[in-house]
Amino acid sequence: LLLIAIVVAIALSPVVALVQRGGVSRATASVIVYLLLAGLLLTAAGVAVPAVYGQSTALLERLPRTYHQFRQFLLETPSELIARFAERLPSHLSSEAKPPGGEAAIKTVTQAIGYGGIVAKGVYLLTATLLLAFYWSIYEERSKRSFLLFLPTARRAEAGEIIDDIESKLGAYLRAQGLVCLIMGGLVFAVYFTIGVPYALPLALLAGILEALPVFGPVLAAIPALLVALSVSPATALWALAAVVLLQQFESNFLVPRLMDRSVGVNAIVTLLGIAALSALWGLAGAILAIPLAAVAQLALDRYLFEPAEALEPAETNGRDAASLLRFQVRELLRDLQNEFRRKSARVTERSDRLEEEVESLARDIDQALLAAARPEVIAAPREATL
């Protein structure tokens, strides 16, 4: 719960800083931001929850009939393979027989109590998360300084930079991903409502939530929508399928490239592995934390494996003469070149790879020559090898 709260606080940190520019303290800015967030959540719940609940209940009641129609549609297709597959499917969705009147009333009350407990637990968790995030927003700097005190003095600056990088990347990614989910959910609702797909609101809500899951999320969200559209007519199902394809093309080619750049995006493979591993360990909480922790893992991999700063930092020198300064600048140039080569978007060719190797080799040779000029006693190799 604390980790989720910290993630929420990191995502809201720029908003708090924006309010703070108005001349108020950080505590006051945090109060304003979190009160506005709570008001928005309560308003959305009051407006959307009744409609979503009603349409979701009707969708679940209609689901057996929709499944039966879908199975009949597969049985009547000309393809023998699809027809045989449909024959192996159960003829009806399994459902419990209705108990007698008294038992039905008891079961209804029991279910209502269970649902009430789930709602109460959700409200409690949401409130606790917002409160923890609020206090983290106020005491963030103090908490980070207290954590850094446990580290050796030589490591504190590097650890502080890592924490700042994590906050920057994680906050930017969460804000961009949340905006993508919101926009796609709204577009899905508008399109489904226009083409006449029933229960557009819960289907759009599902699509918006699953948009956070890379690769498989949009596919999983499209399956129930296509089944519901098929229960209306095959033409509606075709329209729904076309809408899903067009919306995904809009998202991948227009929306995501403009909301997320390379420094913000998180690799899909890292995210999927994180969701699979953490959901197996911690259930729903692990699945929620998987994406932010995947962003942290990718940042650690970039920093220590793919772009190790130690390998690119200038070596220690005993003076500040012209040769040492020039060597420092050459090492900085080499690091910038390597970063640019790794982030390139053009197609990789043999010529481009050879050019990169030649540029890096030339920069390293210059670095060794400058080192020999500044500190000839540390060069054990003969001069001819360096040349």
Side-chain angles (χ1 to χ4, degrees):
L1 197 63
L2 178 61
L3 288 176
I4 296 175
I6 292 174
V7 169
V8 172
I10 290 175
L12 293 177
S13 180
V15 184
V16 175
L18 182 63
V19 177
Q20 198 175 356
R21 293 177 187 171
V24 299
S25 64
R26 185 168 182 84
T28 305
S30 300
V31 170
I32 295 173
V33 170
Y34 282 90
L35 284 178
L36 288 175
L37 178 61
L40 288 174
L41 291 176
L42 290 175
T43 303
V47 173
V49 167
V52 172
Y53 175 77
Q55 291 195 14
S56 300
T57 303
L59 177 60
L60 292 176
E61 292 177 352
R62 187 174 178 176
L63 188 59
R65 183 161 58 91
T66 302
Y67 170 79
H68 178 70
Q69 293 177 351
F70 175 67
R71 184 173 178 272
Q72 288 297 123
F73 175 78
L74 295 180
L75 288 172
E76 295 173 0
T77 55
S79 174
E80 183 179 355
L81 180 62
I82 297 178
R84 288 185 177 181
F85 170 74
E87 290 175 357
R88 294 180 177 273
L89 295 176
S91 58
H92 299 281
L93 290 180
S94 59
S95 58
E96 299 179 359
K98 289 188 177 181
E103 296 181 9
I106 295 175
K107 184 178 180 180
T108 302
V109 173
T110 304
Q111 289 179 347
I113 294 175
Y115 292 150
I118 294 174
V119 172
K121 183 178 180 180
V123 172
Y124 162 74
L125 292 177
L126 180 61
T127 304
T129 302
L130 290 179
L131 286 175
L132 288 173
F134 168 73
Y135 282 110
W136 181 265
S137 296
I138 295 177
Y139 301 112
E140 177 184 3
E141 293 300 325
R142 183 184 302 178
S143 301
K144 289 193 293 187
R145 287 198 300 268
S146 301
F147 169 75
L148 293 177
L149 290 177
F150 289 99
L151 301 177
T153 305
R155 291 287 185 180
R156 290 176 186 173
E158 180 185 4
E161 292 178 1
I162 295 174
I163 293 175
D164 292 339
D165 289 343
I166 289 174
E167 288 188 344
S168 176
K169 183 180 182 67
L170 188 56
Y173 174 75
L174 290 175
R175 289 187 295 274
Q177 186 63 60
L179 193 57
V180 170
C181 293
L182 185 63
I183 292 175
M184 291 302 296
L187 290 176
V188 167
F189 173 75
V191 171
Y192 285 175
F193 182 80
T194 302
I195 64 179
V197 177
Y199 317 112
L201 189 56
L203 292 174
L205 181 62
L206 179 65
I209 294 174
L210 291 179
E211 195 66 39
L213 179 64
V215 182
F216 299 108
V219 177
L220 295 176
I223 292 174
L226 294 177
L227 290 176
V228 173
L230 187 61
S231 67
V232 178
S233 68
T236 305
L238 290 176
W239 278 109
L241 179 61
V244 168
V245 173
L246 290 176
L247 286 174
Q248 290 309 309
Q249 291 297 318
F250 167 77
E251 179 211 11
S252 59
N253 296 321
F254 180 83
L255 188 61
V256 171
R258 281 159 177 76
L259 294 179
M260 293 188 183
D261 56 17
R262 281 184 174 270
S263 62
V264 174
V266 180
N267 187 277
I269 296 178
V270 178
T271 304
L272 291 174
L273 289 176
I275 292 174
L278 295 181
S279 60
L281 288 174
W282 299 334
L284 180 59
I288 294 174
L289 286 172
I291 295 177
L293 291 182
V296 175
Q298 180 171 319
L299 181 65
L301 290 174
D302 290 339
R303 188 180 183 91
Y304 293 108
L305 183 61
F306 301 118
E307 299 176 10
E310 292 81 5
L312 300 174
E313 286 295 330
E316 293 292 332
T317 58
N318 294 328
R320 295 190 178 183
D321 54 3
S324 298
L325 179 60
L326 184 58
R327 183 167 180 254
F328 176 84
Q329 294 174 343
V330 169
R331 296 298 294 272
E332 288 291 318
L333 175 62
L334 176 60
R335 180 168 59 180
D336 291 341
L337 287 173
Q338 290 174 331
N339 290 337
E340 287 299 321
F341 288 150
R342 291 189 181 98
R343 294 169 182 166
K344 64 184 178 183
S345 58
R347 186 172 62 89
V348 178
T349 62
E350 183 179 354
R351 182 175 181 275
S352 64
D353 286 341
R354 187 170 62 253
L355 178 62
E356 294 173 18
E357 293 174 359
E358 291 175 354
V359 170
E360 290 191 7
S361 177
L362 178 61
R364 293 187 186 278
D365 288 345
I366 295 174
D367 176 71
Q368 290 296 317
L370 291 172
L371 179 61
R375 301 168 62 187
E377 70 278 2
V378 302
I379 302 298
R383 176 177 174 83
E384 289 79 7
T386 302
L387 294 177

